[in-house]
Amino acid sequence: MTTQTRKIKVVLGKVGFDPHDRGVIVLTHALRDAGMEVIFLGKFQTAERVVKAAIDEDADVIALSDHCGVMRLIATDVMAELKRRDATDIVVVAGGIIPEEDIPYLESLGVTGNYRAGTSFQEIIDHITSRVKKERWREV
Amino acid sequence: MTTRQVTYDRAYGSLVRTATQSGIEVKPVYTPQDIADIDYERDIGLPGQYPFTRGIYPEMYRNRLWLKAFIVCYATPEETNRAFKEYIAAGQTGLRILTDTTTLSGVDPDHPLARYDIMCNGNPTFALTEYETMLDGIPLEDVDYESANSTPSGSFFTAVFLVGLVEKMGCDIKRLRGTNINDPIQAFILYGTPEFPMDLARRVTTDLIEFGAKYTPRWHPSTPDGYNMRDAGIDTFRELAFCIANIIQYYGDAIKERGVKLDDFRPMVFSTSAESDFFETACKFRALRRMWARIAKERLGATKPDSMKCRIAIRTAANSMYPQKPINNTARVAYQILGAVLGGVQSIDPSGIDEVFGEPSPESRIFELDIQHIIAHELNVPLVADPLAGSYYVEWLTKRIEEGTWKILNEIDAQGGMWAALKSGWLKQQFDIPTINLYKEIEEGKRLIVGVNSFKGEDGAISRAIIDSAYKVPADPKRFGAIDKVKRLRATRDERKVVDSLNELYRATRDGENIVRPAIEAAKAYATVGEMVGAIRMASGYCYDPYEMVQTPPFMKHLEPSANR
């Protein structure tokens, strides 16, 4: 019962110089409309800053966006920083232009979703909700 | 024996909307009554005659086809050079340059944040050495070079490096041709890179326009980036209005502050988008020409007919290309090109059918060229100028687009221009709300995208091949090679020349002089983008690194005002 009022908190960020932010801006609004609490950190972030913001804000989810084809490196750095700061319980999802051959590696790191253009918001919302309920709130 | 049953629905796939892509509600049919207030002589006229609705040349494509121009931006200058040569042989006539995301942000490959994006979306042209390699063996004079580097520093350094290279090779900068996309207001909304803050970006744009008017008459110093703005999700009215308002702002500044005249330039260039909505796309270009002719004449003081003409350079809509069933992208790009040709544009840069998966592969680039060759030589479309003219619907829609655009232009005027609209936050709102609405319409099925929210299906062998063919960013060790390269350059160049030229760039910036020439001299001494950005920033009272992550290099410390040390 209590979980009905509990809001999922998501930190969105773009690491590096990739300027393409329309996708992440639109997603910010879609997640908010779905009742989540969303913080978009903006562009030109470092892995350290994204992880710090997620810890400081007590976020359930980090959502990473990249259109340069280098999610592999961004995710590696973010996951290493989460480990260093003992915060691997934060759910990490990703989207943008992600080379298909990198997806198994990203999944092996625990970075899921890996959505591309044209994915419905509902699919992303359902995925985030299900991971948070299972991994953070221990609901099945 | 059981047989599989199917349900048959005669209405399956019926239309779901009665409005165009930009939300213009349209009737099922148009008649002479709908265009009763349009005067042929005044509003349409002949191609090549004011107000140029039907095109800027009397015989249009019979005398010259549009430029086949696209971005060539592979990971290294060597690869990009080979590709340019291959594409020129296949019919590319407009050479579009795009640097990598790192350089576009105003820093060098050895910046701590650069590791993610070195060689992404282009090669890191951090110094003139890279231009020397990238354009080696390609003529510099009388070739159309177009820059797609549309951050404030990206536009500036494209001009600086190109002019620098032309001079270094002993060629004549008066014969440098092409167009510089230079639109800092757009960049503040869509890129948001901080290297040149607003005051600096505004001044550098005016510097480029003044320099262009005096020294590079065939290289257009500043065209607005309507394409990028449209691709972010705005409608056709805003796309045109923001383009026109940005030109009024940039050229208005230069006319007022530097004494240049619109008549000093070749016909204005507008970089805009060709979208999937076929008639809206074709009519948009007709509306734009008519509007520009009047604005140039009545508002910006043009007296020569050439200055009242505008050349339209389009890129087809990248955001219309989808990764689901990518074979469908071939149809989208072909129709977008056809819409642009029917609209009478001067330059076409198509999306790659595989560019949602990476950079377009060589085969997809050649395919785009072939689409244009097919339109020219098999469809016979370019034989007659403005063949859509006189259609009740086309003339009505052209007028309707013009009216909607004037409305937005008046709103911008009431605020005091585009810089004011940017500063007040009004402009940002104009982008965010339509973008969100656009995606909501797709989500709710009010706008059908084939293979995405309707008519879905599995990728077959052809689609799989498209997915696999895109050019991917190289592996990290190769990308990080650029870090060694910039360090090697720093170790081997004549440091005295670098320091002297950066001192001069700093001084000219501080003293309020035009900084294009001193930047060209610094580029010729092999100063890097990061160093030149730093010198310009420090002379304007900002810290060396736009991202506040690195210290001022020791050899530039003396430039620092003591307060910042």
Side-chain angles (χ1 to χ4, degrees), chain B residues 52-68:
Chain B
F52 309 106
T53 309
R54 306 193 60 191
I56 58 173
Y57 305 116
E59 299 197 347
M60 284 303 291
Y61 297 135
R62 282 208 183 197
N63 285 342
R64 61 183 114 181
L65 286 179
W66 60 92
L67 283 173
K68 298 173 195 83

Side-chain angles (χ1 to χ4, degrees), chain A residues 2 6 10 26 137:
Chain A
T2 50
R6 194 167 169 187
V10 185
V26 173
W137 299 351

Side-chain angles (χ1 to χ4, degrees), chain A:
Chain A
M1 267 315 179
T2 50
T3 54
Q4 275 196 324
T5 51
R6 194 167 169 187
K7 276 190 165 187
I8 296 174
K9 197 165 187 180
V10 185
V11 163
L12 291 113
K14 288 181 69 73
V15 172
F17 287 123
D18 174 30
H20 302 94
D21 64 357
R22 305 322 286 176
V24 74
I25 286 173
V26 173
L27 185 63
T28 298
H29 283 263
L31 297 182
R32 234 170 243 160
D33 287 351
M36 299 184 193
E37 196 175 331
V38 190
I39 299 157
F40 175 41
L41 300 175
K43 293 180 264 198
F44 315 126
Q45 300 295 320
T46 61
E48 292 76 17
R49 273 189 238 153
V50 171
V51 168
K52 182 175 185 306
I55 293 170
D56 291 351
E57 295 286 345
D58 196 18
D60 299 297
V61 181
I62 291 175
L64 299 168
S65 154
D66 176 64
H67 290 74
C68 283
V70 290
M71 184 55 79
R72 197 186 163 87
L73 182 60
I74 294 169
T76 304
D77 288 0
V78 167
M79 297 312 275
E81 182 65 8
L82 280 172
K83 201 167 182 183
R84 195 182 71 79
R85 303 212 33 186
D86 197 22
T88 49
D89 57 325
I90 296 175
V91 168
V92 183
V93 297
I97 295 184
I98 299 174
E100 253 192 10
E101 56 271 28
D102 289 349
I103 292 177
Y105 169 75
L106 293 168
E107 297 268 349
S108 78
L109 287 180
V111 178
T112 62
N114 300 311
Y115 296 112
R116 48 194 199 182
T119 309
S120 83
F121 295 138
Q122 200 53 51
E123 188 181 338
I124 301 172
I125 291 161
D126 289 346
H127 176 70
I128 289 177
T129 308
S130 109
R131 272 199 71 186
V132 169
K133 282 191 173 172
K134 201 156 82 192
E135 296 169 37
R136 306 263 309 167
W137 299 351
R138 305 284 171 204
E139 291 174 23
V140 182

Side-chain angles (χ1 to χ4, degrees), chain B residues 277-296:
Chain B
D277 190 309
F278 191 75
F279 287 103
E280 195 184 280
T281 293
C283 294
K284 169 171 79 181
F285 305 126
R286 303 175 84 247
L288 174 57
R289 280 191 295 269
R290 186 153 77 203
M291 291 185 76
W292 171 250
R294 293 192 174 140
I295 287 168

Side-chain angles (χ1 to χ4, degrees), chain B residues 271 279 300 377 444 550:
Chain B
S271 169
F279 287 103
L300 294 172
H377 306 294
E444 291 164 4
V550 297

